[in-house]
Amino acid sequence: MKQNDIMNSFLSCLREDSDEYQSLKFPNTTEEQKTLIRSLMNIRMPKAIPEKLLHAQNLYLQEESALKGTIPLSEIPTVRETYNSSHPFADRISIWQGDITRLCTGAIVNAANSQMLGCFVPCHRCIDNAIHSAAGLQLREECNHIMNRKRIQYGRQYEEPVGTAILTDSYNLPCDHVIHTVGPIVHNGLTESLRQDLRNCYESVLNCCMDNGIASVAFCCISTGEFHFPNEEAATIAVETVTNFLTSHADCGIYRILFNVFKDTDKTIYEKILGH
């Protein structure tokens, strides 16, 4: 199938799947159609996914992934190779700037919210939205199943606490797994409790990798966006926590850790910490 046919097929299936948008007209341009697709995916509540919709979605997302291009670990240098870093684990750590959904790692880390269902705001620029949009509707459905089981165990009002790590499949992403963690939200200034919460996020993810035989993981800048954790202190905590974990878990089996940054300011901060 041609790209336009794949996109139109998926749009048609999304429209058929929705009671509210049955009469929705498709926009004319490719970019507008892609925006509409992502918006409809973002607002779809978790529920069973019809086989026809699933097939059309997977074709579309796999085509989109191929157009973006995937990045194998072999193409990402370590900080020793890039900066001649003297960090004790310079051969196992990388800084990589770009779209985390392109990475062919054992896992990528999603900065989730406490509902654990992804971002429902159409085309929001948060990483939670980007990961769910690239993975597909199955990711929200799996997260919903996980949360439903926890609500049976802990009560109907259960929300995922800060600092834990939940492992899911990756679906249409090129990585093997997604690890979801809820970072701390900074409201009225930074406290030691919030710093510890962020440490817990990194430790929980690394323990999840170790427990599940995941050998490479890409961290996003947890809590630094919508959650307002100061970027420089967050990066310092991230590097310190990873360093301490690798020091105390010599046989953890994690041979590569990526600090994935999107903004130039975050890249500069990580280079300052790791590039000497």
Side-chain angles (χ1 to χ4, degrees):
M1 291 177 69
K2 294 181 180 179
Q3 183 184 5
N4 283 344
D5 294 334
I6 291 171
M7 185 162 53
N8 287 331
S9 175
F10 184 29
L11 260 177
S12 297
C13 289
L14 283 168
R15 183 169 61 182
E16 291 170 12
D17 180 64
S18 170
D19 295 332
E20 187 176 354
Y21 297 106
Q22 291 279 334
S23 60
L24 184 69
K25 292 184 178 180
F26 296 166
N28 294 321
T29 70
T30 298
E31 285 308 309
E32 287 174 329
Q33 290 171 356
K34 288 184 177 183
T35 298
L36 178 58
I37 283 174
R38 181 163 173 172
S39 298
L40 291 174
M41 291 176 68
N42 293 159
I43 64 175
R44 186 183 188 272
M45 296 300 291
K47 59 182 179 179
I49 307 168
E51 193 62 35
K52 182 180 176 183
L53 172 60
L54 187 63
H55 178 70
Q57 175 210 250
N58 291 346
L59 282 177
Y60 172 77
L61 291 180
Q62 288 161 19
E63 178 78 11
E64 287 296 290
S65 180
L67 287 171
K68 287 192 299 185
T70 57
I71 311 294
L73 277 177
S74 59
E75 293 184 8
I76 301 176
T78 65
V79 292
R80 189 180 304 284
E81 292 169 325
T82 305
Y83 310 106
N84 196 27
S85 172
S86 60
H87 187 276
F89 300 104
D91 292 325
R92 296 164 68 179
I93 292 175
S94 298
I95 303 167
W96 188 77
Q97 184 176 24
D99 179 356
I100 198 170
T101 67
R102 300 175 63 198
L103 293 173
C104 301
T105 49
I108 61 172
V109 175
N110 179 31
N113 58 56
S114 61
Q115 298 298 314
M116 277 292 299
L117 296 179
C119 173
F120 284 89
V121 179
C123 299
H124 194 256
R125 292 178 62 85
C126 70
I127 195 166
D128 198 12
N129 190 298
I131 288 174
H132 273 264
S133 297
L137 301 171
Q138 306 99 302
L139 183 56
R140 178 169 284 168
E141 186 68 1
E142 181 179 356
C143 288
N144 187 51
H145 283 304
I146 292 170
M147 292 300 285
N148 282 340
R149 289 198 299 269
K150 291 195 173 192
R151 290 190 183 106
I152 291 170
Q153 184 175 1
Y154 300 115
R156 293 175 60 186
Q157 302 304 314
Y158 176 82
E159 295 184 359
E160 190 63 24
V162 171
T164 63
I166 291 180
L167 181 71
T168 65
D169 202 346
S170 59
Y171 301 101
N172 290 286
L173 291 162
C175 57
D176 296 327
H177 304 279
V178 180
I179 302 176
H180 309 259
T181 188
V182 181
I185 303 174
V186 179
H187 291 293
N188 299 306
L190 203 54
T191 64
E192 183 53 36
S193 177
L194 291 169
R195 293 185 182 94
Q196 187 56 51
D197 285 340
L198 189 59
R199 292 186 195 103
N200 291 342
C201 288
Y202 284 92
E203 288 176 0
S204 294
V205 169
L206 292 168
N207 276 310
C208 181
C209 289
M210 182 172 64
D211 293 344
N212 291 279
I214 297 170
S216 60
V217 59
F219 282 103
C220 61
C221 298
I222 302 167
S223 282
T224 59
E226 299 292 317
F227 287 6
H228 307 298
F229 206 105
N231 296 57
E232 191 155 359
E233 186 138 15
T236 299
I237 288 171
V239 173
E240 286 179 351
T241 306
V242 165
T243 303
N244 291 339
F245 185 90
L246 293 177
T247 301
S248 59
H249 297 80
D251 300 322
C252 66
I254 306 171
Y255 74 88
R256 184 70 74 85
I257 293 172
L258 279 67
F259 292 111
N260 168 246
V261 297
F262 194 74
K263 298 177 181 178
D264 290 339
T265 51
D266 286 315
K267 184 183 181 189
T268 299
I269 290 168
Y270 274 95
E271 287 175 334
K272 179 181 177 183
I273 297 170
L274 286 165
H276 57 81

